[in-house]
Amino acid sequence: MEQTKRYSARPLALGRNGRTPKILRNRLASAPMERNYGTTDGRITDQYIDYLVTRARAGLGMVTTEATYVRADGKGRTHQLGLHSDAMIPDLRRLTDALHAEGALAAVELNHGGRTAQAAVSGHKNLAPSAVACEVAGGEVPRELTVEDCHELVEAYAQAARRAVAAGFDVINIHGAHGYLIHQFMSPLSNHRTDEFAAPERFMNLVIDAVREAVPDTVVGMRVSVVEGPADGITAEQQVAIIAKAHLEHLDFLDISAGSYEAGEWIVQSGEWKPGILAGYAKAYRQFGLPLGMAGRLNSPAIIEEVLRDGSCDFVSLARAIHADPGFVGGVLRDDRYRPCIACNVCIDNLGLGQVTCTVNPAVGRSRVPVPTPSIREGSRVVVVGAGPAGLTAARELAEAGATVTLFDDGVRPGGRFALAERMKSTPDFHRFAEWSAEENARLGIEVRLRSRVDTAHLGGVVRDTAADAVVLATGGLRPEAGFNGGDMSNVLDVRDWLAAHLEVIEGGTEDVSDVPEALTIWGADSVAMSVADTLADRGTAVLLIGPQQAIAPESGRRAKILAVPRLEANPRVRIRLGVVIEEFDGGRVRISGPDLPAGGEWLDAPGPLLVSRSVAPLDSTIPRNIRDAELSRVAGVPVTLAGTVVDQTPAIASNAVKSGYDAAQRIAFLLAADAAATNELTLNGTKR
């Protein structure tokens, strides 16, 4: 499609009622995605500026920072950005100047957490329309706002808007969604007042009026949740009715999103949900005559062009897609290559833990400006053993740096065990990573040797056969062991081996799960076990899920399992026993023990096969990585480094595997750098920052 014919590439003017318009060079904006890249006192950092400027340089029409708190008691994240003080202005001015230099508009979203803010984070007692705790955020019961308090908070929004303009922002987006303060006044879940602020639109309109008065010539919009989510929350029709009472003459656009803290699946949608899921809701807001932005599973150039062309919205708010790769912007505008988001939701799940990272993009959210991988000296050859996420990442990074790469794997297709996730019910977008990796292997000339097992004791032979200058081992951890007594163990299998055997493999990819059993038992309740149990239970299998864990998939965040776990718990054909250990298996029953069980344990009917997950396997963690690297290097006769989640003692999830592969590639690249001085920046034992 020619660029001139793309709706996404068309400019858009924002500004009405005589206000000076601002021109977006195209219809692509970054959504106000929180990242925890700021300082503890709300300042922006060089890391954050680099992150946003990189996406402006990729071609976004508008770059939005994040939900930025207007007063200290509204801070909801440890490293959230703030506009609560004039001290924030100078560093934010550095950001806006840099964004303008790249041709993008600079936008900021004004927010107050209300009951979602917690004293443990903000240092202040939280406040809300009514004394209703937000259990998902931490459960602190807020102090109910007085009428005077409400007006003081309105003024806090106005002051923050003035600071935003002083810092050089072109656009201000008022956060009226996602269960934060303005939304709390709208919702019957959180507003039980009987005074003037009982009206759901009252506080919202005071904020709109005050912000407009404070910045009369600035583009101002508001973010709206078209669906709150909970059954007793605001319905889609009620939300439209509330916005109909908004002082829309003071706004220049509406930005459509969805959800609240009690319905987080609507804020950041699962890969199970269809792309462009909010388009049907957005059309109801056309009656207000304002330009519409829209978020919600906009993960491909095709869906973006569709929602713009059919008039669902006027611009799109992108978060995960451009977090996974700024190049997604070029993919939309020009059909450039880009690394696809797989909707795993590691990004949002990391928000409560620290910096927001990404499964497929190992360079983001690692407490620093990314250090480029140096160019490798001409003629260098590298062997990568293992074509799972770690190996694929290492191979690509080294090939991009200039190495000739040979990739070995004993499987029938690249992707390793990660490829098995492609047909799981909760991870349907995972195939995008495998497909992209295959395309990158072909583009970069990476030689892939499948059905080729490499014994680490004989690395020297592989090195000689390939004339390799270095080796990356990305073969993962140990196989799980059953860990219990039993008679006939032929029906006890690694869950991944069983799944691989029951996937019909065709040229070009995995077809589907075949031979769905009537019943089975899974030992270990990690994320892999959860996905397999959820997928098979959905197809009618009776599942017994037993694990030593106290919760299902504890290594995964809330959003990654927000749909799967409730499904398992509600399914009458699924039995779940957690916090227990299997002591014995007799072929059809298991004997479990646990702190709440009798001394002899309890026997359960356990139809076979019995599948063992990696979560009950020992970790190969007795020898530090640098020592193992040195030993393997002596065997191979060239530098060898290990990649894989077990190496770095992190949870065995794809996100950590990709990071480990990227780091291993950087260690090798610095050793083989075209510029010998670059080797002073990185050694096999660690990175110098």
Side-chain angles (χ1 to χ4, degrees):
M1 185 187 300
E2 294 295 328
Q3 181 174 347
T4 54
K5 296 180 181 179
R6 293 175 190 251
Y7 276 68
S8 56
R10 297 180 177 183
L12 175 67
L14 293 179
R16 57 201 292 269
N17 294 339
R19 293 184 283 274
T20 304
K22 293 290 183 179
I23 308 299
L24 279 73
R25 56 184 169 182
N26 54 53
R27 304 302 178 99
L28 308 181
S30 67
M33 175 181 175
E34 291 181 53
R35 303 172 183 91
N36 267 339
Y37 294 177
T39 65
T40 55
D41 61 351
R43 297 171 189 268
I44 200 163
T45 60
D46 288 342
Q47 176 197 1
Y48 207 164
I49 291 174
D50 176 79
Y51 175 95
L52 293 173
V53 170
T54 297
R55 282 145 184 82
R57 189 173 299 128
L60 284 174
M62 181 165 67
V63 175
T64 311
T65 54
E66 64 175 40
T68 303
Y69 58 94
V70 299
R71 207 169 72 177
D73 53 11
K75 176 183 177 181
R77 309 290 181 192
T78 57
H79 292 71
Q80 186 178 359
L81 294 186
L83 266 171
H84 57 299
S85 162
D86 289 351
M88 304 296 109
I89 295 173
D91 285 338
L92 288 172
R93 170 61 79 170
R94 287 198 297 126
L95 168 68
T96 59
D97 286 347
L99 295 177
H100 293 150
E102 298 295 342
L105 296 184
V108 64
E109 185 180 59
L110 303 185
N111 187 44
H112 189 287
R115 72 189 186 113
T116 69
Q118 305 288 291
V121 172
S122 71
H124 301 272
K125 177 63 181 173
N126 60 350
L127 309 166
S130 300
V132 179
C134 180
E135 298 297 336
V136 177
E140 180 182 347
V141 178
R143 178 173 68 79
E144 182 172 311
L145 291 161
T146 65
V147 170
E148 182 180 3
D149 290 333
C150 292
H151 286 282
E152 289 176 355
L153 274 167
V154 167
E155 180 59 23
Y157 279 88
Q159 292 296 337
R162 292 188 186 97
R163 294 183 191 110
V165 172
F169 285 101
D170 308 289
V171 176
I172 291 172
N173 199 351
I174 299 169
H175 203 337
H178 298 173
Y180 295 116
L181 185 61
I182 294 175
H183 197 202
Q184 289 163 28
F185 276 95
M186 298 181 194
S187 175
L189 295 176
S190 47
N191 187 351
H192 301 164
R193 301 176 73 100
T194 58
D195 60 8
E196 62 181 293
F197 289 100
E201 73 279 3
R202 174 62 172 159
F203 185 77
M204 170 188 69
N205 279 333
L206 286 177
V207 171
I208 292 172
D209 293 348
V211 168
R212 174 52 67 203
E213 183 179 0
V215 290
D217 200 38
T218 299
V219 173
V220 176
M222 185 171 69
R223 192 155 232 218
V224 178
S225 278
V226 294
V227 175
E228 184 172 11
D232 49 354
I234 310 169
T235 67
E237 295 75 18
Q238 288 170 337
Q239 186 64 71
V240 172
I242 292 170
I243 299 305
K245 297 178 181 178
H247 293 172
L248 298 175
E249 68 276 11
H250 292 328
L251 296 179
D252 299 295
F253 66 93
L254 292 172
D255 189 16
I256 301 305
S257 187
S260 65
Y261 269 55
E262 286 79 9
E265 67 273 19
W266 278 100
I267 299 176
V268 181
Q269 298 88 7
S270 166
E272 297 180 40
W273 290 8
K274 68 177 184 179
I277 191 169
L278 301 185
Y281 296 95
K283 288 184 172 66
Y285 290 80
R286 279 299 187 196
Q287 65 182 286
F288 302 125
L290 290 172
L292 292 182
M294 189 178 79
R297 291 279 286 148
L298 300 172
N299 63 343
S300 71
I303 189 59
I304 289 172
E305 199 65 22
E306 178 182 324
V307 298
L308 290 170
R309 184 178 294 276
D310 70 13
S312 296
C313 60
D314 298 291
F315 66 94
V316 292
S317 294
L318 305 174
R320 290 176 291 179
I322 58 172
H323 183 66
D325 192 352
F328 181 74
V329 176
V332 176
L333 298 176
R334 298 180 299 276
D335 281 333
D336 292 351
R337 292 186 311 274
Y338 65 90
R339 183 190 327 245
C341 169
I342 60 173
C344 62
N345 286 346
V346 162
C347 49
I348 184 66
D349 278 333
N350 275 8
L351 190 56
L353 303 174
Q355 292 209 337
V356 168
T357 62
C358 177
T359 289
V360 298
N361 186 346
V364 299
R366 305 187 75 184
S367 301
R368 62 178 186 264
V369 175
V371 176
T373 302
S375 297
I376 290 176
R377 62 177 178 262
E378 187 176 353
S380 295
R381 296 177 177 272
V382 180
V383 162
V384 177
V385 181
L392 289 170
T393 301
R396 177 185 181 275
E397 193 68 19
L398 288 164
E400 283 275 28
T404 298
V405 178
T406 304
L407 179 62
F408 290 85
D409 194 85
D410 60 2
V412 297
R413 60 178 296 215
R417 301 303 180 185
F418 184 77
L420 302 178
E422 296 177 13
R423 290 300 181 270
M424 296 296 97
K425 182 176 177 63
S426 60
T427 52
D429 276 3
F430 277 32
H431 70 94
R432 303 183 77 201
F433 177 80
E435 292 166 359
W436 171 76
S437 295
E439 293 168 359
E440 289 295 278
N441 288 342
R443 179 179 70 85
L444 294 167
I446 296 170
E447 180 185 359
V448 181
R449 299 187 187 180
L450 298 174
R451 298 183 175 88
S452 300
R453 184 175 181 81
V454 175
D455 188 341
T456 56
H458 301 95
L459 281 177
V462 174
V463 169
R464 288 190 297 273
D465 290 345
T466 58
D469 299 292
V471 176
V472 175
L473 286 180
T475 53
L478 299 179
R479 310 297 295 172
E481 298 176 358
F484 50 78
N485 297 320
D488 180 9
M489 301 291 282
S490 62
N491 217 20
V492 178
L493 306 166
D494 179 340
V495 65
R496 297 163 299 168
D497 287 344
W498 180 89
L499 187 59
H502 288 75
L503 287 172
E504 298 174 7
V505 178
I506 61 173
E507 185 175 356
T510 303
E511 178 67 7
D512 207 348
V513 178
S514 64
D515 300 327
V516 175
E518 182 178 339
L520 57 68
T521 300
I522 301 177
W523 166 224
D526 61 4
S527 58
V528 174
M530 174 193 74
S531 294
V532 174
D534 180 44
T535 300
L536 294 178
D538 184 66
R539 300 182 184 201
T541 299
V543 177
L544 171 60
L545 181 62
I546 305 172
Q549 299 91 337
Q550 297 299 316
I552 296 175
E555 77 278 21
S556 296
R558 174 173 171 261
R559 306 298 177 87
K561 54 190 179 184
I562 198 167
L563 300 179
V565 170
R567 274 198 301 260
L568 287 170
E569 293 174 340
N571 191 326
R573 294 176 61 81
V574 176
R575 292 178 291 157
I576 302 171
R577 295 297 296 271
L578 300 176
V580 299
V581 174
I582 295 180
E583 300 288 355
E584 189 174 355
F585 174 57
D586 69 2
R589 299 182 306 160
V590 291
R591 181 170 61 86
I592 61 173
S593 65
D596 298 325
L597 295 177
E602 177 185 347
W603 283 95
L604 301 174
D605 289 334
L610 194 160
L611 310 183
V612 182
S613 79
R614 182 173 172 173
S615 61
V616 294
L619 292 181
D620 184 14
S621 59
T622 55
I623 305 174
R625 194 210 77 237
N626 62 327
I627 295 177
R628 283 181 286 178
D629 283 354
E631 291 176 350
L632 290 167
S633 297
R634 284 194 292 271
V635 172
V638 297
V640 177
T641 190
L642 289 162
T645 56
V646 172
V647 172
D648 297 317
Q649 285 297 282
T650 50
I653 58 176
S655 177
N656 293 328
V658 168
K659 293 178 181 65
S660 184
Y662 177 78
D663 293 346
Q666 284 207 324
R667 291 193 292 271
I668 292 297
F670 274 86
L671 287 177
L672 303 178
D675 178 5
T679 61
N680 294 326
E681 293 296 318
L682 198 82
T683 71
L684 281 174
N685 293 325
T687 305
K688 178 182 178 182
R689 301 297 182 206

